[in-house]
């Protein structure tokens, strides 16, 4: 039996696509911190959907590869999000399983706050229909999940924005 993502990290990956053109920063919210990364790092004030979608894409790739090292492209090592996904990757590897066709879609993203390299984005993240396939040929089908609005805490690192935590909206 496959073990799939559970706990707070599972919630990070469950919506339907919505255009980001209507998104605006709340009054009094400053942009991402300036510095050496400012020119090539997506800005959660300008486009919270793009920032969170990039993190979700990196997370899907790491989970699909069952690669604990690749999680660093999506999550801050040592964070609650990383710990949950590292446990999932360990279970997948132990059970010799892989996700196939796993993808996440961010919708309704709104910036809640940004300060000193930390951004909080409220959004719905949906999970695609996918499968968990075992080396033995076993296949477990997972239905698509629309998701629910949650708050995603992102931290600016040398490599860009990374997920650190997920909380109820």
């Amino acid at each position: 039996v496959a073990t799939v993502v559970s706990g707070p990290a599972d919630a990070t990956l469950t919506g339907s696509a919505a255009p980001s053109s209507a998104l605006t920063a709340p009054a009094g919210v400053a942009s991402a911190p300036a510095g050496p990364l400012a020119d090539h790092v997506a800005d959660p004030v300008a486009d919270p959907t793009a920032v969170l979608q990039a993190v979700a894409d990196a997370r899907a790739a790491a989970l699909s590869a069952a690669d604990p090292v690749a999680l660093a492209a999506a999550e801050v090592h040592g964070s609650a999000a990383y710990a949950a996904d590292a446990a999932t990757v360990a279970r997948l590897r132990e059970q010799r399983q892989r996700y196939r066709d796993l993808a996440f879609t961010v919708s309704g993203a709104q910036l809640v706050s940004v300060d000193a390299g930390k951004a909080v984005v409220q959004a719905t993240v949906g999970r695609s229909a996918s499968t968990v396939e075992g080396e033995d040929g076993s296949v477990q089908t997972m239905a698509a999940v629309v998701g629910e609005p949650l708050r995603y805490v992102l931290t600016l690192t040398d490599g860009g924005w990374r997920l650190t935590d997920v909380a109820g909206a």
Side-chain angles (χ1 to χ4, degrees):
V1 173
T3 303
V4 295
V5 183
S6 62
D10 184 37
T12 65
L13 305 179
T14 49
S16 57
S20 61
S21 60
L23 301 175
T24 58
V29 173
S31 183
L37 294 175
D39 292 337
H40 61 276
V41 174
D43 183 351
V45 172
D47 195 347
T49 300
V51 172
L52 191 54
Q53 187 65 61
V55 169
D57 291 346
R59 184 172 182 257
L63 290 171
S64 293
D67 184 350
V69 175
L71 285 175
E75 300 161 347
V76 174
H77 189 274
S79 69
Y82 182 90
D85 281 348
T88 297
V89 166
R91 284 190 302 267
L92 287 167
R93 293 171 69 96
E94 179 181 296
Q95 296 173 4
R96 300 179 181 269
Q97 297 174 325
R98 292 280 193 267
Y99 285 106
R100 297 285 181 243
D101 302 319
L102 179 65
F104 301 107
T105 303
V106 176
S107 65
Q110 295 181 332
L111 184 66
V112 175
S113 66
V114 63
D115 183 39
K118 179 180 167 184
V120 178
V121 176
Q122 183 166 323
T124 299
V125 179
R127 186 189 71 214
S128 65
S130 56
T131 59
V132 178
E133 298 177 0
E135 256 183 25
D136 62 359
S138 63
V139 176
Q140 177 184 354
T141 302
M142 297 183 350
V145 177
V146 173
E148 61 184 80
L150 297 170
R151 288 195 178 200
Y152 298 85
V153 180
L154 304 167
T155 299
L156 185 59
T157 69
D158 288 344
W161 292 96
R162 301 293 187 260
L163 183 67
T164 54
D165 201 7
V166 180

